[in-house]
Amino acid sequence: MFFQQKDRHEQMAKLDPRDTNGDGVVTPQEAAAYIHDYLQTASPEERQAILKEYVGGMTPEQKQQMGDAIVSSPANPVQQIRPGDDDDLIDAYTKTAQAPAQDGKSPLEAAFGAGGLLSNPMVKAGLVGLAGMIGSRMLRR
């Protein structure tokens, strides 16, 4: 079903990762839900490829902030990350995004709730950027 949602892929492909002001175009929560759906349905090879591209484009500081945010969130199952190790960060991100929903939300979505630890603007931009990458890839299929 996820792979047949052309309108949703088009919406995500048009995202501007610099748009972190919550102007209502696409919220980080919506991006998190989209990423969660993608990671639940994509093959392991597809997941690895897109996340490798995503993490590979981050600076060491961004990787550290993403790792810190994942570990700090009580909603996710990951307790420790080596942010300098791309494969470890990819594994942690995948586990967080695929973890069972709590209160009807994935751990990525929950992290963006009131007082969520992933409310850092740079982390939001990264999440929205990843949703945009996934949307673009789905439209090229």
Side-chain angles (χ1 to χ4, degrees), residues 88-108:
D88 194 47
L89 192 57
I90 289 168
D91 183 59
Y93 197 95
T94 301
K95 286 178 181 173
T96 299
Q98 291 183 310
Q102 299 173 15
D103 297 324
K105 296 179 181 179
S106 76
L108 282 179

Side-chain angles (χ1 to χ4, degrees), residues 2-6 8-10 13 34 38 41-42 46 50 131-141:
F2 177 82
F3 292 101
Q4 285 79 40
Q5 298 174 354
K6 187 174 187 237
R8 192 170 178 208
H9 301 319
E10 287 174 352
Y34 180 75
Y38 170 78
T41 57
E46 284 181 317
I50 195 122
M133 286 175 64
I134 293 168
S136 291
R137 183 171 283 197
M138 292 298 98
L139 289 174
R140 289 192 303 256
R141 289 182 145 217

